[in-house]
Amino acid sequence: MNAALTPSRRPGIRAAMFVDFDNVFTGLQALDPQAAKRFAEDPKHWADALSASGSGEGTRRFLIRNCYLNPMVYSKYRTYWTRAGFRVIDCPSLTQRGKSSTDINLVLDAMDALSGGGGIEEFFIASADADFTSLIQRFRAADRMTTVIAAGAVAFAYREMADHVVESHDFVAILNGTTAEPVHTAASVKQPQAPDAAKAKAKAHSPAIREVAEFVRTAPGPVVGAMVAHRALTADPSLKTDWGGFGKFGTWVSQIGKNVEYSAAQGGWVWDSKRFSSEDLPLPADVQPGIEERVTRVTDVPALSAAQFRQIFQAMAPRLREHPPLTRAELSRQVRDDCVSAGQPVSRSAVSFVLQGLAYANFQFSDQSTPEELAAAWTGNVEELCRVALLEFDAAEKLAVRRWASGGLLDK
């Protein structure tokens, strides 16, 4: 047979994408309307970003791209998805309450793909709907990689069953083109790629690297990650875009070397490995093992102290009065810096989680918002997360959760 006609196996992970359009679109609208518009009108952009998340064996080939939407509500977006190579499945409302057939159609198609001859290695479910937990369990039992794309609060069991979760803020960043952080693939998880020559060169001459290495070397103990990030950004403001191509602070600081160690535990800590270890990491002052620890472990609420939550709300209120209004990304960065300056350091990811929770609570941000109003909306979101996670509290424990999450701002 002619060599040119000999079939060969194309490189890349064979993947399948199943998109619950209604769920993702409505979730994004609550978080970032502009990102929701990009999701609906330019699916090729973010699908290609997920495909090209690595190199060589780390790339993905989406053999199946399915989108399930309610044509009675979202038919105007159909053309965008068909042009992007998606198969669009109409899922009209079947009941007077508006329940569509998305769930059953998606599950049937996904099970066909699992049992078919395509050899799908990784399944993507774009939905925060915990009804798909059993489907993820079937994928896992069949030894397939699973990734959930979330645009809303994700139930703990659903999150834990998946191999990887693209969090709401990360997906928004992909849609807005503000992150270089790759979504892990089956290959990239097992064989992480080293930084390229350009990154290595930048690393060697970065003033931020020198500042962080010296700061950590002389610190009396492990240092809160937010303080280290603040020092790095002060030394090299260019890192604000995408942390030198690494996407996130945690990824950037982890590759420094020079005896600098990092852990994402409790909001993020950095230390000198010659003098300290992970065993030296302290618990936040107000979060000793107890009711708060139960909440953070089960709901993913940041393990901050009441004082840190209070400082977030006190810093956020005046920042909302700035003109022109700050973007969500700018707001999280400014609040993080304000908290560090006030002596209550928090990570930017913690601030982003609070902002996301406020959006889920349908809080209407305005230049008149007060710290107390922000605290009340956030606390309501935490209580709802606890309810969804089936956490049961007595009256005293409920009061403790309320006092902790609100930073004491709701105490009379």
Side-chain angles (χ1 to χ4, degrees):
M1 181 181 291
N2 190 317
L5 300 178
T6 301
S8 62
R9 192 181 192 84
R10 297 176 61 184
I13 297 169
R14 297 184 300 282
M17 169 79 73
F18 300 92
V19 180
D20 181 348
F21 182 96
D22 302 28
N23 181 278
V24 177
F25 185 71
T26 55
L28 287 172
Q29 281 188 312
L31 293 172
D32 187 326
Q34 192 60 39
K37 179 178 174 65
R38 291 193 175 103
F39 163 78
E41 298 183 356
D42 191 8
K44 185 178 187 303
H45 164 73
W46 58 265
D48 287 350
L50 295 177
S51 296
S53 60
S55 60
E57 288 299 319
T59 59
R60 291 187 181 89
R61 293 176 55 223
F62 283 108
L63 305 185
I64 298 173
R65 295 188 183 192
N66 284 2
C67 172
Y68 304 82
L69 60 75
N70 187 337
M72 300 175 66
V73 183
Y74 301 116
S75 60
K76 65 180 180 180
Y77 298 116
R78 167 188 287 277
T79 303
Y80 298 110
W81 290 74
T82 55
R83 291 182 62 184
F86 278 79
R87 172 179 169 238
V88 177
I89 296 91
D90 286 338
C91 300
S93 300
L94 300 178
T95 68
Q96 292 182 346
R97 299 183 63 181
K99 179 65 174 176
S100 76
S101 58
T102 291
D103 291 10
I104 186 62
N105 281 312
L106 191 156
V107 169
L108 288 173
D109 288 344
M111 291 303 298
D112 284 345
L114 179 62
S115 60
I120 301 298
E121 300 169 278
E122 184 174 15
F123 286 83
F124 276 68
I125 303 296
S127 178
D129 190 343
D131 287 348
F132 294 121
T133 301
S134 295
L135 181 62
I136 297 292
Q137 288 175 328
R138 293 295 296 270
F139 294 151
R140 193 178 187 90
D143 194 23
R144 301 297 199 276
M145 291 289 293
T146 56
T147 297
V148 168
I149 299 177
V154 182
F156 185 74
Y158 186 37
R159 175 191 299 276
E160 289 302 300
M161 190 56 61
D163 292 296
H164 187 252
V165 177
V166 181
E167 302 289 355
S168 299
H169 57 275
D170 288 328
F171 192 44
V172 167
I174 291 173
L175 291 165
N176 291 335
T178 58
T179 182
E181 182 77 359
V183 177
H184 296 303
T185 65
S188 64
V189 169
K190 298 174 183 177
Q191 300 176 345
Q193 300 296 314
D196 58 27
K199 287 182 181 177
K201 182 177 180 181
K203 169 184 171 182
H205 301 287
S206 171
I209 296 290
R210 295 193 295 272
E211 172 67 21
V212 168
E214 178 63 18
F215 179 48
V216 173
R217 185 184 66 81
T218 58
V223 186
V224 175
M227 295 184 68
V228 178
H230 185 66
R231 297 289 286 261
L233 293 173
T234 300
D236 185 359
S238 69
L239 292 175
K240 288 182 179 180
T241 54
D242 67 350
W243 285 101
F246 289 94
K248 294 182 179 180
F249 167 72
T251 308
W252 176 81
V253 76
S254 295
Q255 55 79 45
I256 287 178
K258 301 179 184 296
N259 301 309
V260 174
E261 294 287 340
Y262 170 77
S263 170
Q266 306 167 27
W269 288 86
V270 185
W271 65 90
D272 177 7
S273 63
K274 280 190 173 181
R275 297 180 297 139
F276 306 105
S277 71
S278 59
E279 295 180 357
D280 296 303
L281 299 183
L283 281 172
D286 292 356
V287 189
Q288 299 300 328
I291 191 65
E292 299 92 344
E293 192 265 347
R294 284 176 57 197
V295 173
T296 59
R297 187 175 69 247
V298 174
T299 66
D300 290 334
V301 169
L304 304 180
S305 67
Q308 287 172 311
F309 278 127
R310 182 169 60 252
Q311 188 60 52
I312 287 177
F313 305 131
Q314 291 175 337
M316 192 178 296
R319 288 295 180 183
L320 291 172
R321 291 193 282 273
E322 294 194 9
H323 294 283
L326 299 174
T327 65
R328 189 71 57 85
E330 292 169 339
L331 181 59
S332 65
R333 183 166 53 243
Q334 293 288 358
V335 171
R336 185 274 310 277
D337 291 347
D338 291 344
C339 290
V340 171
S341 299
Q344 293 291 346
V346 299
S347 67
R348 188 175 173 185
S349 62
V351 178
S352 296
F353 194 99
V354 172
L355 285 170
Q356 179 177 298
L358 290 168
Y360 291 154
N362 294 319
F363 183 79
Q364 301 302 308
F365 294 94
S366 77
D367 56 7
Q368 301 298 316
S369 299
T370 66
E372 291 76 16
E373 290 171 341
L374 291 164
W378 162 251
T379 301
N381 177 68
V382 172
E383 291 170 339
E384 175 62 12
L385 289 174
C386 292
R387 186 191 67 78
V388 172
L390 302 181
L391 287 172
E392 297 182 357
F393 304 129
D394 59 29
E397 289 173 330
K398 289 180 180 178
L399 182 60
V401 170
R402 182 177 176 81
R403 182 174 293 122
W404 163 67
S406 68
L409 290 173
L410 303 184
D411 293 347
K412 294 182 179 181

